[in-house]
Amino acid sequence: GAGVSQSPSNKVTEKGKDVELRCDPISGHTALYWYRQSLGQGLEFLIYFQGNSAPDKSGLPSDRFSAERTGGSVSTLTIQRTQQEDSAVYLCASSFLASGGARPDTQYFGPGTRLTVL
Amino acid sequence: LAKTTQPISMDSYEGQEVNITCSHNNIATNDYITWYQQFPSQGPRFIIQGYKTKVTNEVASLFIPADRKSSTLSLPRVSLSDTAVYYCLVGDRDRVPTFGRGTSLIVHP
């Protein structure tokens, strides 16, 4: 079946503008994650959704960042008043939360959106 | 949260076996060890996961000693296409996994 898709693949914006990044998870996956990866760095966790609720927003770097998920499927990450330090690749992942046990679920990642803030 | 330490980079040659070790001294009882691989311009992808002893799949082997304070990802006979960043994650399903900087493996001809 189809994997995780993200759009746009590339986004160039001017400082101060708002941007929306979209993630379409794998059908049936209940969990959805957003990460940010700056050049040469590891993945920085931003937010996690279980269904439409976000039990863990601890990684959002500032109140300029917000995310929502509707219908337990598509998610949108919004960055308001973008700054140059927001430039990075934004990765989305989804997983199917199986019931029971402590074994972490496999995350399936999309190709990412490369955001450049001029 | 269990903190992981792994080498920043490694070099190897085609056909060699590569072992990447990850230290996780404060691993918790319920924690599993998971490895992901990330190619340039792609998102990470799952390679292997284990709790103890040895796990093997078609891509790699994962060796976990009895004290579980470290683990070793073993890639047999690497090729140029194995050049990637490898991440070691430790945790259970109740916590979002933390990706560190990973180990950048470069395979030379």
Side-chain angles (χ1 to χ4, degrees):
Chain A
V4 177
S5 60
Q6 293 186 244
S7 60
S9 55
N10 281 284
K11 177 70 177 179
V12 179
T13 190
E14 294 178 347
K15 178 181 173 182
K17 295 286 180 68
D18 298 351
V19 295
E20 282 190 355
L21 312 180
R22 176 187 169 108
C23 173
D24 283 88
I26 293 173
S27 178
H29 279 194
T30 54
L32 187 146
Y33 309 78
W34 282 100
Y35 296 87
R36 177 170 72 174
Q37 187 170 36
S38 300
L39 188 62
Q41 302 297 310
L43 278 70
E44 176 189 2
F45 168 75
L46 298 179
I47 190 170
Y48 153 65
F49 286 92
Q50 168 61 287
N52 291 333
S53 64
D56 191 344
K57 304 179 182 178
S58 62
L60 293 177
S62 76
D63 58 7
R64 296 187 295 104
F65 288 73
S66 63
E68 64 176 14
R69 189 180 185 195
T70 56
S73 182
V74 173
S75 176
T76 302
L77 177 68
T78 301
I79 308 173
Q80 295 178 311
R81 305 180 301 282
T82 52
Q83 304 294 313
Q84 288 182 332
E85 61 263 27
D86 299 334
S87 295
V89 175
Y90 289 80
L91 290 159
C92 173
S94 69
S95 69
F96 175 72
L97 283 184
S99 60
R103 179 186 292 270
D105 301 290
T106 299
Q107 293 191 39
Y108 296 84
F109 283 81
T113 293
R114 181 174 299 278
L115 174 66
T116 303
V117 182
L118 301 176
Chain B
L1 291 177
K3 183 179 183 299
T4 60
T5 303
Q6 53 183 122
I8 293 175
S9 64
M10 292 182 70
D11 289 87
S12 185
Y13 292 89
E14 284 190 291
Q16 290 189 334
E17 178 183 78
V18 171
N19 296 307
I20 306 175
T21 297
C22 178
S23 298
H24 28 80
N25 290 320
N26 59 340
I27 188 170
T29 302
N30 285 342
D31 286 344
Y32 282 72
I33 300 151
T34 310
W35 286 80
Y36 283 78
Q37 173 190 54
Q38 185 178 26
F39 296 116
S41 303
Q42 295 186 25
R45 69 167 188 167
F46 172 90
I47 302 177
I48 197 166
Q49 184 181 76
Y51 183 81
K52 61 180 179 180
T53 62
K54 176 184 174 182
V55 179
T56 297
N57 61 23
E58 65 277 6
V59 175
S61 294
L62 178 59
F63 298 92
I64 305 168
D67 66 5
R68 304 198 328 122
K69 292 184 183 299
S70 67
S71 58
T72 299
L73 174 72
S74 181
L75 305 172
R77 298 179 299 282
V78 294
S79 64
L80 296 177
S81 62
D82 292 314
T83 293
V85 177
Y86 293 83
Y87 297 94
C88 166
L89 285 68
V90 172
D92 63 20
R93 71 198 313 269
D94 290 334
R95 298 193 305 272
V96 177
T98 300
F99 288 78
R101 291 191 61 177
T103 297
S104 176
L105 171 66
I106 298 176
V107 179
H108 302 276

